[in-house]
Short mmCIF file of all heavy atoms in Angstrom, two decimals:
data_model
loop_
_atom_site.label_atom_id
_atom_site.label_comp_id
_atom_site.label_asym_id
_atom_site.label_seq_id
_atom_site.Cartn_x
_atom_site.Cartn_y
_atom_site.Cartn_z
N VAL J 1 12.50 -53.57 96.80
CA VAL J 1 13.59 -53.97 97.68
C VAL J 1 14.27 -55.23 97.16
O VAL J 1 15.49 -55.30 97.03
CB VAL J 1 13.06 -54.21 99.12
CG1 VAL J 1 14.17 -54.78 100.01
CG2 VAL J 1 12.53 -52.91 99.72
N PHE J 2 13.45 -56.24 96.83
CA PHE J 2 13.99 -57.53 96.38
C PHE J 2 14.88 -57.35 95.15
O PHE J 2 16.01 -57.85 95.12
CB PHE J 2 12.83 -58.48 96.07
CG PHE J 2 13.26 -59.82 95.53
CD1 PHE J 2 13.70 -60.81 96.39
CD2 PHE J 2 13.22 -60.09 94.18
CE1 PHE J 2 14.10 -62.05 95.91
CE2 PHE J 2 13.60 -61.33 93.68
CZ PHE J 2 14.05 -62.30 94.55
N PHE J 3 14.40 -56.63 94.14
CA PHE J 3 15.20 -56.52 92.91
C PHE J 3 16.33 -55.50 93.03
O PHE J 3 17.26 -55.52 92.21
CB PHE J 3 14.29 -56.25 91.71
CG PHE J 3 13.61 -57.51 91.25
CD1 PHE J 3 12.28 -57.75 91.54
CD2 PHE J 3 14.32 -58.49 90.58
CE1 PHE J 3 11.66 -58.93 91.16
CE2 PHE J 3 13.72 -59.68 90.20
CZ PHE J 3 12.39 -59.90 90.49
N SER J 4 16.30 -54.65 94.03
CA SER J 4 17.45 -53.78 94.28
C SER J 4 18.62 -54.54 94.88
O SER J 4 19.77 -54.11 94.77
CB SER J 4 17.05 -52.64 95.24
OG SER J 4 16.16 -51.75 94.61
N TYR J 5 18.32 -55.67 95.52
CA TYR J 5 19.37 -56.45 96.18
C TYR J 5 19.69 -57.75 95.46
O TYR J 5 20.53 -58.52 95.94
CB TYR J 5 18.98 -56.72 97.64
CG TYR J 5 19.17 -55.50 98.51
CD1 TYR J 5 18.16 -54.55 98.64
CD2 TYR J 5 20.37 -55.29 99.19
CE1 TYR J 5 18.33 -53.42 99.43
CE2 TYR J 5 20.56 -54.16 99.98
CZ TYR J 5 19.53 -53.23 100.10
OH TYR J 5 19.72 -52.10 100.87
N THR J 6 19.05 -58.02 94.34
CA THR J 6 19.42 -59.19 93.54
C THR J 6 20.35 -58.76 92.41
O THR J 6 20.32 -57.62 91.95
CB THR J 6 18.19 -59.89 92.95
OG1 THR J 6 17.32 -58.93 92.34
CG2 THR J 6 17.44 -60.67 94.01
N LYS J 7 21.13 -59.71 91.96
CA LYS J 7 22.06 -59.45 90.85
C LYS J 7 21.28 -59.27 89.55
O LYS J 7 20.16 -59.77 89.41
CB LYS J 7 23.03 -60.63 90.71
CG LYS J 7 23.93 -60.83 91.89
CD LYS J 7 24.86 -62.02 91.67
CE LYS J 7 25.82 -62.17 92.84
NZ LYS J 7 26.77 -63.29 92.64
N PRO J 8 21.88 -58.59 88.56
CA PRO J 8 21.21 -58.38 87.28
C PRO J 8 20.80 -59.69 86.60
O PRO J 8 19.87 -59.70 85.79
CB PRO J 8 22.26 -57.64 86.45
CG PRO J 8 23.13 -56.95 87.45
CD PRO J 8 23.18 -57.88 88.63
N GLU J 9 21.47 -60.79 86.94
CA GLU J 9 21.14 -62.08 86.31
C GLU J 9 19.81 -62.65 86.80
O GLU J 9 19.28 -63.58 86.18
CB GLU J 9 22.26 -63.09 86.60
CG GLU J 9 23.59 -62.77 85.95
CD GLU J 9 24.38 -61.70 86.67
OE1 GLU J 9 24.05 -61.39 87.84
OE2 GLU J 9 25.34 -61.18 86.07
N VAL J 10 19.27 -62.17 87.90
CA VAL J 10 18.00 -62.66 88.41
C VAL J 10 16.87 -62.03 87.60
O VAL J 10 16.71 -60.80 87.58
CB VAL J 10 17.83 -62.37 89.91
CG1 VAL J 10 16.46 -62.84 90.40
CG2 VAL J 10 18.94 -63.05 90.72
N VAL J 11 16.08 -62.86 86.94
CA VAL J 11 15.03 -62.38 86.04
C VAL J 11 13.88 -61.75 86.84
O VAL J 11 13.38 -62.34 87.80
CB VAL J 11 14.48 -63.54 85.18
CG1 VAL J 11 13.31 -63.06 84.30
CG2 VAL J 11 15.59 -64.14 84.32
N MET J 12 13.47 -60.56 86.43
CA MET J 12 12.31 -59.89 87.00
C MET J 12 11.12 -60.18 86.09
O MET J 12 10.90 -59.48 85.10
CB MET J 12 12.56 -58.37 87.08
CG MET J 12 11.42 -57.60 87.72
SD MET J 12 11.67 -55.80 87.71
CE MET J 12 11.19 -55.40 86.02
N GLN J 13 10.37 -61.22 86.42
CA GLN J 13 9.23 -61.56 85.57
C GLN J 13 8.01 -60.75 86.00
O GLN J 13 7.20 -61.18 86.82
CB GLN J 13 8.90 -63.05 85.56
CG GLN J 13 7.90 -63.40 84.46
CD GLN J 13 7.52 -64.86 84.41
OE1 GLN J 13 6.87 -65.37 85.32
NE2 GLN J 13 7.92 -65.55 83.34
N MET J 14 7.91 -59.55 85.43
CA MET J 14 6.75 -58.71 85.67
C MET J 14 5.49 -59.40 85.13
O MET J 14 5.53 -60.05 84.08
CB MET J 14 6.95 -57.36 84.99
CG MET J 14 5.75 -56.42 85.03
SD MET J 14 5.16 -56.15 86.70
CE MET J 14 6.56 -55.34 87.45
N ASP J 15 4.40 -59.28 85.89
CA ASP J 15 3.08 -59.67 85.42
C ASP J 15 2.27 -58.38 85.42
O ASP J 15 1.93 -57.86 86.48
CB ASP J 15 2.46 -60.72 86.35
CG ASP J 15 1.09 -61.21 85.88
OD1 ASP J 15 0.21 -60.35 85.67
OD2 ASP J 15 0.92 -62.43 85.75
N VAL J 16 2.00 -57.86 84.23
CA VAL J 16 1.41 -56.53 84.11
C VAL J 16 0.08 -56.44 84.85
O VAL J 16 -0.16 -55.50 85.63
CB VAL J 16 1.24 -56.15 82.63
CG1 VAL J 16 0.57 -54.78 82.49
CG2 VAL J 16 2.60 -56.15 81.92
N GLY J 17 -0.80 -57.41 84.65
CA GLY J 17 -2.10 -57.39 85.29
C GLY J 17 -2.01 -57.52 86.80
O GLY J 17 -2.70 -56.81 87.54
N ASN J 18 -1.16 -58.43 87.29
CA ASN J 18 -1.01 -58.61 88.73
C ASN J 18 -0.47 -57.36 89.40
O ASN J 18 -0.91 -56.98 90.49
CB ASN J 18 -0.08 -59.79 89.03
CG ASN J 18 -0.73 -61.14 88.80
OD1 ASN J 18 -1.92 -61.23 88.48
ND2 ASN J 18 0.04 -62.20 88.94
N CYS J 19 0.51 -56.74 88.76
CA CYS J 19 1.10 -55.53 89.31
C CYS J 19 0.05 -54.43 89.46
O CYS J 19 -0.08 -53.80 90.52
CB CYS J 19 2.25 -55.06 88.42
SG CYS J 19 3.08 -53.55 89.00
N LEU J 20 -0.71 -54.20 88.41
CA LEU J 20 -1.75 -53.17 88.46
C LEU J 20 -2.82 -53.52 89.50
O LEU J 20 -3.33 -52.63 90.20
CB LEU J 20 -2.38 -52.99 87.08
CG LEU J 20 -1.47 -52.31 86.04
CD1 LEU J 20 -2.04 -52.47 84.64
CD2 LEU J 20 -1.29 -50.83 86.37
N ALA J 21 -3.15 -54.78 89.61
CA ALA J 21 -4.15 -55.20 90.60
C ALA J 21 -3.69 -54.93 92.02
O ALA J 21 -4.51 -54.70 92.92
CB ALA J 21 -4.47 -56.69 90.43
N GLY J 22 -2.38 -54.93 92.25
CA GLY J 22 -1.83 -54.67 93.57
C GLY J 22 -1.52 -53.21 93.82
O GLY J 22 -0.92 -52.86 94.84
N GLY J 23 -1.92 -52.34 92.87
CA GLY J 23 -1.66 -50.91 93.02
C GLY J 23 -0.26 -50.50 92.60
O GLY J 23 0.17 -49.37 92.88
N GLY J 24 0.46 -51.40 91.91
CA GLY J 24 1.80 -51.09 91.46
C GLY J 24 1.83 -50.43 90.10
O GLY J 24 0.80 -50.27 89.44
N ASP J 25 3.03 -50.09 89.66
CA ASP J 25 3.24 -49.41 88.38
C ASP J 25 4.20 -50.27 87.54
O ASP J 25 5.42 -50.16 87.70
CB ASP J 25 3.83 -48.03 88.61
CG ASP J 25 3.98 -47.21 87.34
OD1 ASP J 25 4.00 -47.81 86.24
OD2 ASP J 25 4.09 -45.97 87.43
N PRO J 26 3.68 -51.13 86.67
CA PRO J 26 4.57 -52.03 85.91
C PRO J 26 5.50 -51.27 84.97
O PRO J 26 6.63 -51.71 84.74
CB PRO J 26 3.58 -52.91 85.13
CG PRO J 26 2.33 -52.10 85.03
CD PRO J 26 2.26 -51.32 86.31
N TYR J 27 5.04 -50.16 84.44
CA TYR J 27 5.87 -49.38 83.52
C TYR J 27 7.11 -48.84 84.25
O TYR J 27 8.24 -48.93 83.75
CB TYR J 27 5.06 -48.23 82.92
CG TYR J 27 3.63 -48.59 82.57
CD1 TYR J 27 2.56 -48.10 83.32
CD2 TYR J 27 3.34 -49.45 81.51
CE1 TYR J 27 1.25 -48.44 83.02
CE2 TYR J 27 2.03 -49.80 81.20
CZ TYR J 27 0.98 -49.29 81.97
OH TYR J 27 -0.32 -49.63 81.67
N ALA J 28 6.89 -48.30 85.44
CA ALA J 28 8.00 -47.75 86.23
C ALA J 28 8.98 -48.84 86.64
O ALA J 28 10.20 -48.62 86.68
CB ALA J 28 7.46 -47.04 87.47
N MET J 29 8.47 -50.04 86.93
CA MET J 29 9.34 -51.12 87.36
C MET J 29 10.25 -51.59 86.22
O MET J 29 11.43 -51.89 86.42
CB MET J 29 8.52 -52.30 87.90
CG MET J 29 7.78 -52.01 89.21
SD MET J 29 8.86 -51.56 90.59
CE MET J 29 8.70 -49.75 90.55
N ILE J 30 9.71 -51.66 85.01
CA ILE J 30 10.54 -52.07 83.87
C ILE J 30 11.65 -51.04 83.65
O ILE J 30 12.80 -51.39 83.37
CB ILE J 30 9.68 -52.23 82.60
CG1 ILE J 30 8.64 -53.32 82.79
CG2 ILE J 30 10.57 -52.56 81.39
CD1 ILE J 30 7.60 -53.39 81.69
N GLU J 31 11.32 -49.76 83.82
CA GLU J 31 12.32 -48.69 83.68
C GLU J 31 13.33 -48.71 84.81
O GLU J 31 14.53 -48.48 84.59
CB GLU J 31 11.63 -47.33 83.66
CG GLU J 31 10.90 -47.00 82.37
CD GLU J 31 10.40 -45.57 82.37
OE1 GLU J 31 9.34 -45.31 82.96
OE2 GLU J 31 11.09 -44.71 81.78
N MET J 32 12.86 -48.96 86.02
CA MET J 32 13.73 -48.89 87.19
C MET J 32 14.81 -49.97 87.17
O MET J 32 15.92 -49.77 87.67
CB MET J 32 12.91 -49.02 88.47
CG MET J 32 13.73 -48.88 89.74
SD MET J 32 12.71 -48.99 91.25
CE MET J 32 11.81 -47.44 91.15
N PHE J 33 14.48 -51.13 86.58
CA PHE J 33 15.41 -52.25 86.56
C PHE J 33 15.70 -52.67 85.11
O PHE J 33 15.20 -53.68 84.63
CB PHE J 33 14.83 -53.43 87.36
CG PHE J 33 14.58 -53.09 88.80
CD1 PHE J 33 13.30 -52.80 89.26
CD2 PHE J 33 15.64 -53.02 89.70
CE1 PHE J 33 13.07 -52.48 90.59
CE2 PHE J 33 15.42 -52.70 91.03
CZ PHE J 33 14.13 -52.42 91.48
N PRO J 34 16.50 -51.87 84.40
CA PRO J 34 16.76 -52.14 82.98
C PRO J 34 17.44 -53.49 82.76
O PRO J 34 18.28 -53.92 83.55
CB PRO J 34 17.67 -50.98 82.57
CG PRO J 34 18.28 -50.48 83.84
CD PRO J 34 17.25 -50.69 84.89
N GLY J 35 17.01 -54.16 81.70
CA GLY J 35 17.61 -55.43 81.33
C GLY J 35 17.16 -56.62 82.14
O GLY J 35 17.60 -57.74 81.90
N ARG J 36 16.24 -56.41 83.09
CA ARG J 36 15.85 -57.48 84.00
C ARG J 36 14.60 -58.22 83.54
O ARG J 36 14.28 -59.29 84.08
CB ARG J 36 15.60 -56.92 85.41
CG ARG J 36 16.75 -56.11 86.01
CD ARG J 36 17.94 -56.95 86.37
NE ARG J 36 17.66 -57.90 87.41
CZ ARG J 36 17.74 -57.62 88.73
NH1 ARG J 36 18.07 -56.42 89.14
NH2 ARG J 36 17.51 -58.56 89.62
N SER J 37 13.84 -57.65 82.58
CA SER J 37 12.55 -58.23 82.17
C SER J 37 12.74 -59.20 81.01
O SER J 37 12.13 -59.06 79.95
CB SER J 37 11.57 -57.11 81.78
OG SER J 37 11.34 -56.25 82.85
N LYS J 38 13.57 -60.21 81.23
CA LYS J 38 13.88 -61.14 80.13
C LYS J 38 12.64 -61.90 79.66
O LYS J 38 12.50 -62.20 78.48
CB LYS J 38 14.98 -62.09 80.56
CG LYS J 38 16.34 -61.41 80.64
CD LYS J 38 17.44 -62.39 80.97
CE LYS J 38 18.81 -61.74 80.81
NZ LYS J 38 18.97 -60.51 81.61
N THR J 39 11.75 -62.22 80.59
CA THR J 39 10.43 -62.72 80.21
C THR J 39 9.41 -61.89 80.99
O THR J 39 9.66 -61.50 82.13
CB THR J 39 10.25 -64.23 80.51
OG1 THR J 39 10.18 -64.45 81.92
CG2 THR J 39 11.36 -65.05 79.90
N ILE J 40 8.27 -61.65 80.38
CA ILE J 40 7.25 -60.81 81.00
C ILE J 40 5.87 -61.38 80.70
O ILE J 40 5.62 -61.83 79.57
CB ILE J 40 7.35 -59.35 80.52
CG1 ILE J 40 6.28 -58.46 81.20
CG2 ILE J 40 7.27 -59.25 78.99
CD1 ILE J 40 6.49 -56.97 80.95
N HIS J 41 5.01 -61.38 81.70
CA HIS J 41 3.65 -61.88 81.51
C HIS J 41 2.74 -60.75 81.04
O HIS J 41 2.62 -59.71 81.70
CB HIS J 41 3.10 -62.45 82.81
CG HIS J 41 3.44 -63.89 83.00
ND1 HIS J 41 2.62 -64.77 83.67
CD2 HIS J 41 4.50 -64.63 82.57
CE1 HIS J 41 3.16 -65.98 83.67
NE2 HIS J 41 4.31 -65.91 83.01
N LEU J 42 2.13 -60.98 79.90
CA LEU J 42 1.14 -60.06 79.35
C LEU J 42 -0.23 -60.50 79.85
O LEU J 42 -0.74 -61.54 79.43
CB LEU J 42 1.19 -60.06 77.83
CG LEU J 42 2.55 -59.84 77.18
CD1 LEU J 42 2.41 -59.78 75.66
CD2 LEU J 42 3.25 -58.59 77.71
N LYS J 43 -0.80 -59.73 80.75
CA LYS J 43 -2.12 -60.04 81.31
C LYS J 43 -2.91 -58.74 81.38
O LYS J 43 -2.38 -57.72 81.83
CB LYS J 43 -1.99 -60.66 82.70
CG LYS J 43 -3.32 -61.07 83.33
CD LYS J 43 -3.10 -61.54 84.77
CE LYS J 43 -2.28 -62.82 84.80
NZ LYS J 43 -1.92 -63.21 86.19
#
């Protein structure tokens, strides 16, 4: 919801480990919001 309503300029800093720990899908999120992962946490 948050990234669907933010402008493309707002960085989506995915944290791969945190996302998976919360039951999320980091791969799908990177695809769903193209160009938004300007920095990403590798965990």
Side-chain angles (χ1 to χ4, degrees):
V1 173
F2 178 81
F3 282 104
S4 291
Y5 284 87
T6 47
K7 296 180 177 182
E9 293 78 15
V10 177
V11 176
M12 182 184 80
Q13 191 180 67
M14 174 54 63
D15 182 305
V16 177
N18 285 356
C19 180
L20 289 166
D25 185 339
Y27 321 108
M29 293 300 99
I30 298 170
E31 286 188 279
M32 183 178 290
F33 299 102
R36 306 290 296 274
S37 300
K38 288 184 170 56
T39 70
I40 181 170
H41 273 212
L42 308 184
K43 183 186 294 174

